[in-house]
Amino acid sequence: MSNVTQRFEGYGALITGAARGIGEATARRLAAEGARVLIADVNDEAARKTAADIPGAESFRCDVGDRSQVEAAVAYAVECFGSLDVLVNNAYSCSLDAPLIEDQSDDSWERDLNITLTGAFRCARAALPALAATGRGAIVNIGSVNGEQDFGNHAYSAAKAGLASFTRTLAGDVASRGVRVNQINPGTIRTPGWAGRDAEMARLAETVYPLGRVGEPEDIAAAVAFLASRDAAWITGTTLRVDGGLLAVNMAFPAVVEAR
């Protein structure tokens, strides 16, 4: 990425679930703007591979479901970079729904909430002292349109909705310490989780997305970079939709009306 403003020169950033997809794109974007980034992921091999391809990046195996691993990741970031200025909570779990809600297991429900929602809490709790110490700390949580509207996945959707609430309450709690907290709600993004489903992606782009395409990881990375930067210095407690117009425009309704 050439001719990019160096908004994050001297910054240290920790990104969870950063070995691939949105997390990887975000790491590349922040690094391109001057940050040193810690690729934190439960997949240690993939994290090391991604970090090796990003100048100045480090990797760390981190399961956000484990408090000790989260605290170790934060300590490692501070040790490597001298400060921690940005935390991006991107790690998540999304279990398949059972055909009937009464058949949904406690384990799948609890895993999605533990990783997606409580994991973000663990990371924020561990990182806040370091973030507050810089005077420019920012947390960006990666939510989902699933937290606002029904697209299936009960537990994942509940966790993402809870994450939006946590974003607001945490923003109020830490504002006096100079830390901002915001959230991004992506729509369908072309990540490895959608691999092999090109036909579905094409139908989604044509039938439900007003802008005529699904999102790319770089679309979310650009939004993260804005909210984490001083360009957003007077923004906190907000949730930004980056969804191609999905939730704002009902494409099915006018199609039916015009067909009458």
Side-chain angles (χ1 to χ4, degrees):
M1 187 179 296
S2 60
N3 300 320
V4 175
T5 302
Q6 298 294 288
R7 291 184 291 185
F8 300 105
E9 189 69 40
Y11 279 54
L14 190 163
I15 306 168
T16 66
R20 61 180 192 166
I22 290 171
E24 178 185 355
T26 299
R28 292 184 183 281
R29 177 60 184 256
L30 297 187
E33 293 199 36
R36 296 196 63 194
V37 297
L38 183 62
I39 309 296
D41 203 289
V42 70
N43 187 333
D44 186 41
E45 181 179 356
R48 284 189 277 108
K49 182 176 180 181
T50 297
D53 196 43
I54 300 175
E58 301 283 344
S59 69
F60 196 91
R61 187 192 185 282
C62 180
D63 176 357
V64 300
D66 185 322
R67 179 175 182 173
S68 64
Q69 290 188 36
V70 167
E71 292 175 347
V74 169
Y76 187 74
V78 173
E79 177 187 347
C80 288
F81 309 144
S83 68
L84 180 60
D85 306 87
V86 176
L87 168 66
V88 181
N89 283 313
N90 173 66
Y92 72 93
S93 171
C94 182
S95 303
L96 294 176
D97 288 338
L100 298 174
I101 188 63
E102 55 263 42
D103 295 327
Q104 195 80 24
S105 71
D106 284 3
D107 287 347
S108 64
W109 178 273
E110 289 168 0
R111 173 174 173 76
D112 283 6
L113 266 67
N114 182 39
I115 299 301
T116 308
L117 176 56
T118 310
F121 158 72
R122 290 188 188 97
C123 291
R125 178 178 59 190
L128 270 165
L131 293 170
T134 70
R136 60 189 182 189
I139 298 174
V140 182
N141 296 323
I142 305 300
S144 172
V145 293
N146 283 55
E148 299 188 66
Q149 190 170 306
D150 175 24
F151 295 102
N153 301 110
H154 298 298
Y156 170 81
S157 298
K160 291 298 191 181
L163 188 60
S165 179
F166 179 55
T167 296
R168 293 188 294 272
T169 58
L170 184 62
D173 187 62
V174 302
S176 63
R177 299 166 67 183
V179 179
R180 297 180 301 103
V181 188
N182 292 291
Q183 178 160 316
I184 292 167
N185 281 2
T188 307
I189 306 298
R190 196 185 306 277
T191 61
W194 284 89
R197 301 170 68 182
D198 291 347
E200 286 178 77
M201 298 283 271
R203 288 197 299 273
L204 286 171
E206 180 181 353
T207 61
V208 304
Y209 281 98
L211 290 182
R213 66 175 178 88
V214 298
E216 301 294 338
E218 292 75 16
D219 293 316
I220 308 306
V224 173
F226 166 66
L227 287 175
S229 77
R230 299 306 294 171
D231 288 341
W234 210 48
I235 300 175
T236 196
T238 194
T239 294
L240 172 65
R241 294 175 183 169
V242 184
D243 69 349
L246 174 67
L247 296 185
V249 181
N250 185 331
M251 289 184 65
F253 181 82
V256 171
V257 171
E258 292 168 4
R260 288 191 346 178

